[in-house]
């Protein structure tokens, strides 16, 4: 088969590799019908994720058809259309039993396209198939369901639910990439009074208006703290969500929150960020962090298939599988190309 193989920082190729085979009796082999690229794949390409080594097939999001299953797989059958989630779950360890699948101790967690070969290929081996795949609901398109593999649960769980968004809240979202936009879309479900999107790129702020933000702030030109203060009688946001992953945006998210407010960090941070405890100790704030667990996947699948969430809005570009190099280029130059999510399909 062909696959997108990582060959060290800055080097990758769509090349011929051996077909994946069943290794454990709980595995499934899935034919990839639709697949996308994540911002995290760009981090890997820069060399920011050293656990990913030369020869690894990238990708942790896919929709496809089950080809074969091991003898221990009970619920998934060849011919089933399934969502392959970014998080794999053994289903039996302490953390899986409390729905904390991202922290799986039994060999799951974020492994696809990281510690084992991933989905950016014609076929993928999915461990713990019963607990790591989800049936695609009838009538849903591959493209809609693909958005539930990573970005929608990440924005919803780590942003909206960890941030405890309530009706009437003022919600500030710092960063309007696919993850920040997912958080805005998820926050809308709770009828906040305002969603304020904050980003340096006007193209991303334009997108934010389509994803539920009613106020947009370019913090390269405007003072986000002053905008939030005006809106809240000087108090600050009820919930502020960080969806960038650099020290300045974490510190901004904290500064935007009101006393008693929630600050939900989603961004992957590579450098230390300062928590000004000398200011915050007295303000009763709650700060949360997290890796997505995907425990909301069944809920999100229902919301997407009933059009309560319009997942297709994320998809800005289409390619076939053998156009992976172009797809990475377009996705990697998002500020110029306007890319949010690119979808590659079997032709
Ligand atoms: N916690 C998790 O489980 C999880 C899962 C997936 C992704 N992530 C992380 O979420 C973050 C966002 O992902 P994404 O795919 O949306 O990324 P992205 O790069 O597409 O979007 C980031 C946005 O932040 C904006 N930005 C950059 N610097 C800024 C600043 N100083 N002020 C305001 N805006 C700024 C950029 O213009 C861009 O629009 C990343 O750090 C990613 O690694 C976390
Ligand atoms: Zn991802
Ligand atoms: Zn587990």
């Amino acid at each position: 088969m062909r696959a997108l193989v990582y060959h060290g920082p800055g080097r990758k190729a769509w090349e011929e590799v051996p077909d994946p085979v069943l290794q454990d009796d709980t595995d499934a082999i899935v034919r990839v019908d639709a697949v996308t690229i994540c911002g995290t794949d760009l981090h890997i390409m820069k060399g920011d994720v050293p656990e990913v080594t030369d020869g690894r097939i990238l990708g942790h999001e896919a929709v496809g058809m089950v080809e074969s299953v091991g003898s221990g797989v009970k619920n998934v059958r060849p011919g089933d259309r399934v969502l392959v989630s970014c998080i794999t779950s053994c289903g039996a360890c302490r953390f899986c039993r409390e729905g904390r699948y991202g922290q799986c101790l039994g060999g799951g967690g974020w492994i696809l396209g990281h510690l084992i070969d991933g989905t950016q290929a014609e076929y993928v081996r999915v461990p713990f198939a019963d607990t790591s795949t989800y049936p695609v609901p009838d009538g849903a398109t591959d493209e809609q369901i693909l958005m539930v593999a990573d970005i929608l649960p990440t924005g919803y769980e780590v942003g909206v639910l960890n941030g405890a968004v309530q009706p009437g809240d003022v919600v500030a979202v710092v960063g309007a990439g696919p993850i920040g936009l997912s958080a805005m879309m998820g926050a809308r479900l709770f009828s906040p009074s305002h969603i304020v999107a904050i980003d340096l790129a006007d193209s991303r702020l334009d997108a934010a208006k389509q994803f539920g933000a009613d106020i947009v702030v370019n913090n390269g030109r405007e003072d986000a703290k002053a905008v939030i203060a005006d809106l809240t009688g000087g108090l600050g946001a009820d919930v502020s969500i960080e969806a960038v992953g650099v020290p300045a945006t974490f510190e901004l998210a904290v500064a935007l929150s009101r006393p008693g407010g929630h600050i939900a960090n989603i961004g992957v941070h590579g450098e230390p960020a300062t928590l000004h405890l000398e200011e915050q100790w007295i303000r009763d704030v709650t700060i949360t962090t997290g890796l997505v667990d995907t425990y909301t996947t069944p809920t999100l699948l229902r919301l997407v298939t009933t059009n309560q969430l319009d997942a297709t809005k994320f998809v800005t570009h289409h390619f076939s599988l053998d156009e992976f190099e172009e797809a990475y280029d377009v996705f990697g130059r998002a500020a110029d190309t306007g890319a949010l999510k690119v979808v590659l399909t079997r032709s």
Side-chain angles (χ1 to χ4, degrees):
M1 70 163 184
R2 297 208 145 229
L4 198 276
V5 182
Y6 174 74
H7 288 299
R11 295 174 56 223
K12 60 173 164 15
W14 177 249
E15 64 189 35
E16 197 63 31
V17 296
D19 286 355
V21 292
L22 296 170
Q23 291 179 17
D24 291 311
D25 66 355
T26 50
D27 287 352
I29 304 295
V30 176
R31 182 192 77 191
V32 174
D33 292 331
V35 55
T36 180
I37 305 171
C38 179
T40 304
D41 297 321
L42 301 181
H43 278 297
I44 294 171
M45 285 311 305
K46 283 190 212 139
D48 292 347
V49 190
E51 298 78 23
V52 181
T53 49
D54 187 352
R56 177 68 64 236
I57 300 171
L58 298 183
H60 50 265
E61 304 157 272
V63 173
M65 183 80 82
V66 177
E67 283 278 315
S68 57
V69 297
S71 58
V73 176
K74 294 189 176 63
N75 301 320
V76 179
R77 288 282 149 251
D80 287 354
R81 254 175 98 209
V82 292
L83 166 68
V84 179
S85 169
C86 66
I87 299 294
T88 302
S89 151
C90 82
C93 74
R94 169 188 166 173
F95 287 134
C96 285
R97 294 182 77 161
E98 51 186 63
R100 216 175 270 285
Y101 311 119
Q103 308 292 333
C104 175
L105 297 166
W110 173 39
I111 57 171
L112 286 170
H114 179 205
L115 307 179
I116 66 168
D117 285 337
T119 56
Q120 292 173 4
E122 291 182 295
Y123 296 89
V124 59
R125 179 179 74 91
V126 182
F128 309 114
D130 278 330
T131 41
S132 308
T133 65
Y134 301 81
V136 173
D138 287 341
T141 66
D142 288 355
E143 198 167 290
Q144 276 177 307
I145 299 307
L146 188 56
M147 301 300 120
V148 187
D150 182 347
I151 59 168
L152 282 172
T154 297
Y156 190 59
E157 294 174 13
V158 191
V160 178
L161 297 182
N162 280 1
V165 174
Q166 300 290 314
D169 277 356
V170 171
V171 180
V173 182
V174 186
I179 299 289
L181 296 172
S182 296
M184 293 173 211
M185 196 180 234
R188 266 280 156 241
L189 295 168
F190 293 84
S191 303
S193 56
H194 295 288
I195 296 179
V196 184
I198 300 156
D199 202 294
L200 295 171
D202 289 325
S203 59
R204 287 284 165 92
L205 293 172
D206 289 342
K209 292 179 198 155
Q210 311 301 314
F211 284 81
D214 57 307
I215 299 173
V216 298
V217 179
N218 185 319
N219 59 322
R221 299 193 297 265
E222 294 166 84
D223 180 354
K225 209 174 161 187
V227 172
I228 300 281
D230 277 352
L231 211 56
T232 57
L235 290 179
D238 299 292
V239 180
S240 64
I241 296 175
E242 197 282 350
V244 185
V246 296
T249 49
F250 173 73
E251 290 167 31
L252 178 61
V254 174
L256 293 177
S257 73
R258 69 159 164 84
H262 282 76
I263 300 132
N265 181 83
I266 312 179
V268 171
H269 290 263
E271 285 174 38
T274 304
L275 170 62
H276 287 284
L277 207 50
E278 75 283 8
E279 294 164 4
Q280 297 303 324
W281 71 270
I282 199 168
R283 299 181 74 244
D284 301 4
V285 294
T286 302
I287 299 177
T288 56
T289 68
L291 170 68
V292 63
D293 288 308
T294 67
Y295 68 92
T296 63
T297 301
T299 304
L300 291 166
L301 287 171
R302 284 197 301 279
L303 290 169
V304 165
T305 42
T306 54
N307 293 317
Q308 300 297 320
L309 293 178
D310 181 3
T312 55
K313 281 201 291 205
F314 286 102
V315 182
T316 53
H317 295 77
H318 293 89
F319 298 94
S320 61
L321 286 182
D322 56 11
E323 294 174 316
F324 248 112
E325 303 272 1
E326 294 95 306
Y328 261 89
D329 177 58
V330 165
F331 183 67
R333 292 186 299 107
D336 300 334
T337 61
L340 293 177
K341 285 298 262 184
V342 302
V343 171
L344 299 97
T345 47
R346 168 176 293 272
S347 38

